[in-house]
Structure formats: C-alpha cells, structure tokens
Amino acid sequence: MGRPRKTGIDYFPFDVDFFSDKKIKILKSRFGVDGITVYLYLLCEIYRNGYYIEYDDDYTYIIADDLGMSGEKVKQVLSYLLERSLLTSILLLPVTVITSHGIQCRFQEAVKGRAAKSGVEVDKQIWLLNEQETLPFIKYTQNSVFSENNVSFSEKNQSKSEIYAIKESKVNKSKEKNIYCTEPEKPPSAPPIITLPLNDKTDYGITQVEVDHWNELYPAVDIMAELRKMKGWCEGNPAKRKTRRGIVRFVNTWLAKEQDRGGSRKVSQSPVNRFLEETT
C-alpha cells in the first residue's frame, strides 16, 4: 500500500517586511498582538492543509480556545483580514473556504521540489491564480468533493467543538446567509447592464445584482470600470476568452487582484463582513 500523498507543507516563507505592511500595522493597532497571532495561526493551518482551509462556526471557537481569547475577538480579526484582502473567503456549498492569492503563490513555490515527478493537484473552483501565474506542474481537478477529500477542522478537533456546543445552539439559524457565493443568483428577468464575450461566441450578461454583490466583496474597486476593462480585454484576446462556466471565476480573480493592489476608488466606510456578523 503506497504512502498517502502529502497535501500541505512543513514551513512557509515569512517576509522580513511583514511588520512594515500598512495592513499589518493597522491590524496590530486595532487588535494588538492578538490580531497578529490569529493571522499567523490561520496561515499555519492553511499551509498545513495545503493552500486553503474549510471554515465553519466551530473553527472560530477552536481558535479562541487554542489562543486563549474570546470567540468575538477572533471573529473581529477574521472580519478585518477578509475586508483588507489579507484572506479571501469563497462559498462552495456546503463549505466555506479560506485562502488568498498570495497564499497560493507561496504554496506553489514551496511544493516545486516534490511536484517534479507527479505534479500537484488543485481545485479549479478555488484556485485564484490565472494561467500566467500558475506554474506548469499544477494540475486542475474537475470534480473534487470537499466532504470526501478533506477532513474539516472541526472534525479533527471534535472534543474542543463539543465544548462550545451550547454556544452554537443559541445561534439564530434564520439569520444564516451565504454571502461569499462565487456566482450570485440573478432574478430571471434581470436585464444585463454589461456583457462579456465568451469563447463560444456568445455573451455573458452581468446584472445589477451581480455588480452590487461585487461592490460588497471588493469595496475598494470601481466595479463597472473594471468590468469595462474586462470586456475590452476579452474583445482584444479572442483566443483567451473564458467559458460560460469559468467567466465568474475570471471576474472574481480580476477584482480580487485589483482589491489587493488598493483598488481604484477610496472607501468611505468599511462594509460589515456579513459572513461573520450572521454567526454572532
């Protein structure tokens, strides 16, 4: 019987300019050492697993128990990390995935050595790097099932999860919402406000519902301006146009990168991270 294939990494590079980053300075200013500790804890767990983790309500309280802080503090820190694009949250029913563009860049560099022979498989649904950024040994899986292939954090820490069973039972289930959908629902009759050409010579129509959704996820980005740039890019690169299935991932990746660069507009007020708010 062969050895199980290793998915995570044993260590990850740490930038010596970490504490010079403006986002990290604000994180420390707002939450003190606790903010830095939660961020590094999450990075360790993500790289231990590979390039993402599955996140659920139990995870918040497990982190709180491990680090000796309140669940509310952990939620506040994670909210900040998501708002500032230090981490990215993606909903893939029935789980929520935490990752980021930078995490995936460092992950593929870290696994270069062992990837020489057989390559490294990644889930295309949550892989944020575009074709130019993705190294040749990366192989996309088509139909991975999270519940079968990856044991969730809460399952690996069942005893600690039980400690907080009473707290979790008090959560108002009617408030639960899926905020981080890759593709928001469109009303059947919603007219498109802009279209993106696809590789099959049809167009993908983007509605105001989707624009509003992306405005919430990427508050520093002028969504309509970026969509016009995408349309121009698709028109100028017909050989690289996306499929109908892949176009929303293309849009999210483009907008996430623009958000990471600081965005194209000033934000007057940071939006509330609803994913965390609804679990309070």
Side-chain angles (χ1 to χ4, degrees), residues 167-180:
K167 289 185 179 180
E168 291 302 290
S169 67
K170 295 180 180 178
V171 175
N172 185 347
K173 299 300 181 181
S174 65
K175 289 184 177 181
E176 293 181 355
K177 295 180 182 178
N178 296 324
I179 298 302
Y180 293 98

Side-chain angles (χ1 to χ4, degrees), residues 131-182:
E131 295 176 2
Q132 289 71 35
E133 295 168 318
T134 301
L135 297 179
F137 60 80
I138 296 294
K139 299 178 181 179
Y140 295 119
T141 58
Q142 298 300 319
N143 296 299
S144 67
V145 180
F146 282 89
S147 59
E148 293 178 359
N149 295 341
N150 300 286
V151 179
S152 72
F153 189 92
S154 59
E155 288 172 343
K156 290 186 288 184
N157 296 273
Q158 184 176 1
S159 60
K160 289 184 179 179
S161 299
E162 290 171 353
I163 296 173
Y164 296 97
I166 297 176
K167 289 185 179 180
E168 291 302 290
S169 67
K170 295 180 180 178
V171 175
N172 185 347
K173 299 300 181 181
S174 65
K175 289 184 177 181
E176 293 181 355
K177 295 180 182 178
N178 296 324
I179 298 302
Y180 293 98
C181 293
T182 305

Side-chain angles (χ1 to χ4, degrees), residues 2 5 10 14 26 32 50 74 119 128 146 179 194 220 269 273 278:
R5 180 176 295 182
D10 296 323
F14 192 85
I26 297 172
V74 173
L128 301 178
F146 282 89
I179 298 302
I194 190 171
Q269 184 179 6
N273 187 295
E278 299 302 339

Side-chain angles (χ1 to χ4, degrees), residues 30 41 51 71 81 90 106 195 220-221 237:
R30 288 182 59 179
Y41 182 103
Y51 58 95
L81 296 173
I90 304 170
R106 290 187 288 274
T195 60
V221 179
N237 297 273

Side-chain angles (χ1 to χ4, degrees), residues 118-136:
S118 58
V120 172
E121 292 186 352
V122 299
D123 193 295
K124 195 168 185 178
Q125 298 176 93
I126 58 176
W127 189 249
L128 301 178
L129 309 189
N130 62 34
E131 295 176 2
Q132 289 71 35
E133 295 168 318
T134 301
L135 297 179

Side-chain angles (χ1 to χ4, degrees), residues 3 14 16-17 20 26 31 35 59 61 68 109 111 131 152 170 182 194-195 208 214-215 238 260-261 264:
R3 294 172 58 187
F14 192 85
V16 295
D17 293 324
S20 299
I26 297 172
F31 304 104
Y59 207 150
Y61 295 107
E109 289 292 337
V111 296
E131 295 176 2
S152 72
K170 295 180 180 178
T182 305
I194 190 171
T195 60
Q208 187 62 50
W214 289 321
N215 270 319
D260 289 344
R261 286 194 291 263
S264 50

Side-chain angles (χ1 to χ4, degrees), residues 31 34 38 55-79 164 167-168 276-277 279-280:
F31 304 104
D34 286 349
V38 171
Y55 192 92
D56 57 19
D57 293 340
D58 286 341
Y59 207 150
T60 297
Y61 295 107
I62 291 165
I63 296 173
D65 185 63
D66 282 347
L67 301 182
M69 60 183 71
S70 69
E72 184 61 32
K73 170 66 77 68
V74 173
K75 289 182 179 182
Q76 291 173 358
V77 173
L78 183 53
S79 177
Y164 296 97
K167 289 185 179 180
E168 291 302 290
L276 296 173
E277 181 187 46
T279 61
T280 302

